[in-house]
Amino acid sequence: MRFAYHPSMCDPTFYIPLAKQVENSGWDALSFPDSICYPKEASSQYPYNADGSRDFLDEVPFLEPFSAIPALAAVTERISFSTSVVKLPIRNPVLVAKQISTIAVMNNNRFVFGVGLSPWQEDFDICGERWAKRGKRMDEMIEIMRRLLAGGYFGGWDSEFYQIPDCKLCPVPTKAVPILTSGHSEAALKRAARIGDGWISAGSSLEELKLMIGRINELREEYGTADRAFQIHAMTEAAYSADGVEQLEELGVHECIIAFRNAYEGKPDEETLEQKLATIQWFADEVIAKT
């Protein structure tokens, strides 16, 4: 089992010492969320809390992951970094592929790219991208990025959504960057099974994870992708004890995403840096060391 620390959008000045502590305490990774801006007015509903409200995001200090991860990779040597998750369809696939390749080249392949759709139509409107058919566009984006990241001319692309002339990126990573998809809907589980290098749970109970992972495994058999390498990253309360981690391993989870603060509750983050550093060490001693 691997363990990834999720800073829960804390004070930006904390990130460098937190990353160093994560590495020194024996963790495996650090995971980043993604949010570009906070619209003054919005009608979209958030799918991962009880009332669909977005108030918990107001004044939350989100850092842009493609900028922050290189800074933290520069002060660490071993831990990997992941996004959990980047809102992919509001971006351009060639530009994202270039950002991915730069991170992976500069940090010696210590990067896993987690992607999602974004539940906010306002994200699409603000970034000038279409909301309709966003799932199909994301599928195409993943294929375009994989081809570009493989090196050489990628063959070009001509579809309803993208018209990209043949081109190549230089440099590209020496190893393929895993692209993990997210989401709990049937369509999301199908996407993960069909084209993902893995799947990320956004927060689920052990029983919910069991059902969703079981469904993904069924779908992978149906799609003929069961033999492909596949990672499962999960954010779940079960991951906060050695017994729970053992149960997650039995389900097929490869990495636990650990966030000691529930940002969705909307409460201010009043923990000091020293308290956060101590909690990271506590988890390393009481859970990681015992699994």
Side-chain angles (χ1 to χ4, degrees):
M1 180 66 75
R2 289 169 49 87
F3 297 91
Y5 176 68
H6 192 300
S8 299
M9 298 78 78
C10 64
D11 182 334
T13 65
F14 291 1
Y15 275 80
I16 287 178
L18 289 174
K20 291 179 178 179
Q21 179 74 1
V22 165
E23 175 149 292
N24 293 337
S25 297
W27 293 59
D28 301 286
L30 196 150
S31 180
F32 268 83
D34 174 48
S35 184
I36 292 178
C37 62
Y38 187 82
K40 185 175 182 180
E41 296 181 1
S43 58
S44 299
Q45 298 291 302
Y46 189 68
Y48 298 111
N49 58 10
D51 59 6
S53 65
R54 66 185 187 121
D55 295 346
F56 70 93
L57 290 169
D58 196 7
E59 298 298 328
V60 169
F62 277 92
L63 295 184
E64 200 285 309
F66 295 126
S67 303
I69 289 173
L72 302 184
V75 298
T76 57
E77 297 180 356
R78 179 185 55 79
I79 60 172
S80 63
F81 298 87
S82 61
T83 53
S84 180
V85 293
V86 159
K87 299 172 180 178
L88 190 58
I90 65 174
R91 292 170 159 93
N92 175 277
V94 179
L95 178 58
V96 173
K98 185 64 176 179
Q99 293 169 314
I100 294 171
S101 66
T102 299
I103 289 178
V105 167
M106 292 296 291
N107 76 4
N108 193 27
N109 301 303
R110 293 185 289 145
F111 185 52
V112 174
F113 191 43
V115 299
L117 285 173
S118 175
W120 313 108
Q121 181 170 344
E122 291 76 15
D123 283 340
F124 292 79
D125 295 340
I126 289 168
C127 292
E129 288 289 352
R130 71 193 84 178
W131 170 259
K133 299 182 180 180
R134 57 198 178 280
K136 291 183 178 179
R137 283 200 299 110
M138 188 165 86
D139 291 352
E140 289 194 14
M141 293 181 76
I142 291 172
E143 178 63 22
I144 291 167
M145 292 187 302
R146 282 199 175 119
R147 291 190 189 183
L148 286 165
L149 290 166
Y153 290 100
F154 89 116
W157 196 270
D158 187 7
S159 72
E160 175 187 357
F161 308 117
Y162 299 107
Q163 297 78 45
I164 306 170
D166 201 1
C167 60
K168 63 181 178 180
L169 301 183
C170 185
V172 294
T174 56
K175 295 181 181 179
V177 175
I179 301 177
L180 279 58
T181 64
S182 66
H184 297 174
S185 68
E186 177 71 3
L189 301 182
K190 286 182 176 179
R191 177 176 294 107
R194 184 167 40 85
I195 65 173
D197 295 316
W199 174 71
I200 301 174
S201 164
S204 311
S205 68
L206 193 63
E207 187 59 34
E208 289 169 336
L209 275 174
K210 182 178 181 180
L211 293 174
M212 289 188 285
I213 292 172
R215 179 58 178 152
I216 288 174
N217 289 336
E218 291 175 354
L219 290 165
R220 293 182 70 209
E221 291 290 343
E222 290 180 21
Y223 291 132
T225 60
D227 294 334
R228 188 177 63 205
F230 195 84
Q231 304 179 35
I232 296 176
H233 296 194
M235 181 180 287
T236 172
E237 291 184 2
Y240 294 81
S241 71
D243 289 343
V245 170
E246 184 177 348
Q247 294 179 74
L248 291 170
E249 285 183 319
E250 292 174 358
L251 290 181
V253 173
H254 300 87
E255 182 168 296
C256 297
I257 304 172
I258 307 298
F260 295 109
R261 183 177 72 88
N262 185 356
Y264 304 116
E265 292 178 347
K267 297 178 181 179
D269 184 1
E270 297 178 342
E271 273 195 333
T272 65
L273 174 60
E274 289 70 25
Q275 288 173 319
K276 292 181 183 295
L277 296 174
T279 303
I280 290 171
Q281 186 62 54
W282 169 84
F283 187 88
D285 295 338
E286 296 300 321
V287 180
I288 296 176
K290 296 178 180 180
T291 58

